[in-house]
Structure formats: structure tokens, C-alpha cells
Amino acid sequence: MKTWLEAKTKRLVERSARTQETAARGFRMGIIVNLSKPKVITFFLSLYAVTMPVEAPLWTKLAVLLGGFLLEIDWYGLVILLFSTPPARAAYDRAGHCIERAVDTALTVFGLKLISEKLLSRRTR
């Protein structure tokens, strides 16, 4: 009986360690993927550049950046909860490629539009 309990405890500890390792690995991969997506970075930088007045105080700029960061955390938390369900994963597996292309295109077009409008408004001053 003692050997069985020790083996069971050992398996639970190993499973827990694997789960923690998988979560840490997933977190690292998520950061790497998100930081390596130039379209999303370009979109947020262009949005920030167009909407933030140059004369805004530093605390306002930092508050906007912090708010954006918190919104990103909330969004990705919601996505994690949604895509942890089998039906949502199956639907995304079927249509994910098309969804990603459409969103990437929309973000790129919108970001470039914001940049061009800002550049044009500076030239007309």
C-alpha cells in the first residue's frame, strides 16, 4: 500500500511539474509570437502617434500605454478562456487561416491610413 501511495504521489508531482512547465513554455511562446508580429506593433504605434497630442503630459502618455497594456491582457485572457473549449478550437482550426489574413489586412490598412493622414496633416500646416 505504501509503495502504491508513493508512486501515486510521485506521478501527481510529475504531472504538476509538466503542467507548470507547459504553462511557462506557452507564456514564453505567446510573448515571442506577439512581439514578432510587426503588423500589430505598427498598428498600435500608428494609432498612438495619431491620437496622442505632442503636448500631452508624460503621465497621460504613460496612462494610455498602461491602459492599452491592460486591455491586451484582458483580451488575451478572454481568448484563452474561449479557445480552451473544444468547439471553439475546432471552429478556429477550420477558419483560422482566413480569419488571420482578414484581421492582418484590416490592421495594416488602418495603420497605414492613420500614418498617411498624420503625414498629410503635417505637410498642410
Side-chain angles (χ1 to χ4, degrees):
M1 181 73 166
K2 183 178 177 186
T3 304
W4 180 79
L5 287 174
E6 288 173 348
K8 185 176 179 182
T9 303
K10 185 177 178 183
R11 277 190 310 229
L12 289 173
V13 168
E14 288 172 355
R15 187 180 308 152
S16 175
R18 280 195 311 264
T19 301
Q20 289 175 353
E21 180 182 310
T22 304
R25 183 171 181 250
F27 182 74
R28 280 193 309 272
M29 288 301 297
I31 288 175
I32 290 168
V33 167
N34 281 299
L35 290 177
S36 66
K37 286 191 161 206
K39 292 175 191 148
V40 175
I41 292 170
T42 303
F43 170 75
F44 281 109
L45 286 177
S46 63
L47 185 64
Y48 186 77
V50 170
T51 58
M52 184 59 60
V54 177
E55 63 276 356
L58 179 62
W59 70 268
T60 303
K61 293 176 182 178
L62 292 174
V64 169
L65 288 175
L66 177 64
F69 176 74
L70 293 174
L71 283 172
E72 285 289 309
I73 289 175
D74 288 345
W75 168 250
Y76 284 112
L78 179 65
V79 169
I80 288 167
L81 289 175
L82 175 67
F83 282 98
S84 64
T85 63
R89 275 196 312 255
Y92 187 76
D93 286 342
R94 287 190 303 273
H97 186 67
C98 294
I99 293 169
E100 286 179 12
R101 286 213 172 179
V103 169
D104 286 348
T105 301
L107 288 174
T108 301
V109 168
F110 186 61
L112 291 172
K113 182 177 185 270
L114 289 174
I115 290 171
S116 66
E117 286 176 358
K118 187 69 167 188
L119 292 173
L120 289 174
S121 71
R122 287 185 181 172
R123 286 186 187 161
T124 58
R125 287 183 190 175

